[in-house]
């Protein structure tokens, strides 16, 4: 769809500086993300150089999100030293065809199975508020629990111009917090992480309530195709509600 998304080459020096800034904020993980359906060898080679450069200068766990993988690609990332791989299931299996027509839910799950098989940790979540029913949100929570992810990023729809969801309403704060509670009940020992759209659906007040009632991590900074808020603002919020950083 005609949505404004930039395409850029990985800049190794910029990634190293971003990793340093991330570490100084108190974060435990730095994620290299590329908005592609799946990586080609050129991109994987760039990622390998980036991982080596970051590891030389920054003491931080490195994760990646590069789309659908083959078994060989998953093995390459593991051998590079990538600890965790993010590949979202996005939504319930029954609702997925209403959102994505270029590939199947099963293809995404297959990538997660390959990731786990080579020894990387699995990070997988999705987007709440794309038109799914409450029953399908519950279905989604159960299906995520079945793949035993170590981490689940919870996104709330940020309607993008030029897409079929451009005019969908934002998820109300109450619905967002109820989704957090349901996912926590479904996955009591999984790290649930606030991700994209929280600034719109929850704001500062809702984010604080979520952190005190089920969420135990947040993505700081920017997201895949949209901007977040400044890391310093999140750190101030954590201090205000007396939640320690890195208490894992």
């Amino acid at each position: 769809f005609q949505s404004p998304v930039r395409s850029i080459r990985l800049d190794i020096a910029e990634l190293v500086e971003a990793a340093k800034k991330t570490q100084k904020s108190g974060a435990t993980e730095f994620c290299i993300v590329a908005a592609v359906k799946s990586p080609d060898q050129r991109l994987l080679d760039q990622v390998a150089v980036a991982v080596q450069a970051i590891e030389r200068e920054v003491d931080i766990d490195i994760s990646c999100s590069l789309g659908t993988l083959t078994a060989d690609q998953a093995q390459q990332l593991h051998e590079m030293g990538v600890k965790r791989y993010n590949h979202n299931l996005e939504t319930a299996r029954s609702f997925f065809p209403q959102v994505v027509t270029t590939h199947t839910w099963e293809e995404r799950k297959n990538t997660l199975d390959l990731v786990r098989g080579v020894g990387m940790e699995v990070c997988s979540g999705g987007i709440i508020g794309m038109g799914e029913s409450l029953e399908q949100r519950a279905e989604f929570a159960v299906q995520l629990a079945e793949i035993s992810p170590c981490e689940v990023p919870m996104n709330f729809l940020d309607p993008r111009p030029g897409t079929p969801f451009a005019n969908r309403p934002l998820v109300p704060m109450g619905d967002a917090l109820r989704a957090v509670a349901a996912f926590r009940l479904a996955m009591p020992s999984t790290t649930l992480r606030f991700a994209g759209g929280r600034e719109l659906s929850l704001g500062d007040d809702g984010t604080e309530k979520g952190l005190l009632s089920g969420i135990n991590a947040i993505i700081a900074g920017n997201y895949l195709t949209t901007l977040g808020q400044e890391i310093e603002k999140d750190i101030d919020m954590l201090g205000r509600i007396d939640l320690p950083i890195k208490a894992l």
Side-chain angles (χ1 to χ4, degrees):
F1 298 101
Q2 295 302 311
S3 185
V5 176
R6 292 183 303 138
S7 176
I8 61 172
R9 178 184 174 89
L10 291 184
D11 187 308
I12 307 302
E14 284 188 7
L15 284 174
V16 172
E17 288 306 308
K20 289 178 179 178
K21 182 178 179 182
T22 300
Q23 181 196 38
K24 289 178 182 177
S25 76
T28 59
E29 176 185 306
F30 181 73
C31 189
I32 300 172
V33 183
V36 295
K37 185 174 185 293
S38 58
D40 56 17
Q41 191 58 49
R42 177 170 169 268
L43 176 57
L44 287 176
D45 291 343
Q46 291 177 8
V47 170
V49 174
V51 170
Q52 291 175 356
I54 293 169
E55 287 183 337
R56 280 196 299 268
E57 299 191 45
V58 189
D59 181 18
I60 196 168
D61 290 337
I62 300 174
S63 63
C64 284
S65 182
L66 309 172
T68 303
L69 300 176
T70 65
D72 177 65
Q73 290 171 333
Q75 184 62 39
Q76 284 187 60
L77 288 168
H78 177 58
E79 291 174 358
M80 288 177 201
V82 175
K83 179 179 180 182
R84 181 177 297 164
Y85 195 78
N86 166 256
H87 193 58
N88 290 338
L89 287 179
E90 303 299 9
T91 190
R93 185 177 184 177
S94 67
F95 188 65
F96 191 87
Q98 306 303 312
V99 179
V100 180
T101 56
T102 57
H103 59 279
T104 65
W105 187 93
E106 288 77 13
E107 286 180 69
R108 300 187 77 83
K109 183 178 180 299
N110 180 62
T111 286
L112 297 174
D113 292 339
L114 292 174
V115 164
R116 185 185 297 103
V118 299
M120 285 188 289
E121 294 179 351
V122 168
C123 171
S124 184
I127 305 174
I128 303 297
M130 295 189 290
E132 74 282 356
S133 66
L134 287 177
E135 289 81 4
Q136 285 169 323
R137 286 183 193 174
E139 175 194 344
F140 184 32
V142 170
Q143 288 164 347
L144 282 171
E146 288 173 348
I147 65 171
S148 301
C150 65
E151 185 174 296
V152 171
M154 293 190 68
N155 300 270
F156 303 94
L157 183 66
D158 176 357
R160 296 286 81 206
T163 72
F165 297 148
N167 297 317
R168 282 209 60 82
L170 296 177
V171 179
M173 183 191 299
D175 287 355
L177 292 174
R178 279 186 283 273
V180 167
F183 275 49
R184 173 52 69 210
L185 288 170
M187 295 170 279
S189 60
T190 296
T191 296
L192 297 183
R193 185 184 292 273
F194 269 146
R198 66 176 169 94
E199 296 89 349
L200 297 174
S201 286
L202 291 153
D204 291 343
D205 183 49
T207 298
E208 290 182 16
K209 289 178 179 176
L211 285 164
L212 294 171
S213 60
I215 288 286
N216 51 349
I218 58 176
I219 292 178
N222 300 325
Y223 308 109
L224 182 61
T225 59
T226 58
L227 299 177
Q229 63 186 17
E230 294 180 355
I231 292 175
E232 291 77 13
K233 189 173 181 181
D234 286 330
I235 294 173
D236 290 343
M237 175 191 61
L238 294 172
R240 189 165 59 251
I241 59 178
D242 199 26
L243 277 183
I245 298 176
K246 282 191 178 180
L248 300 179

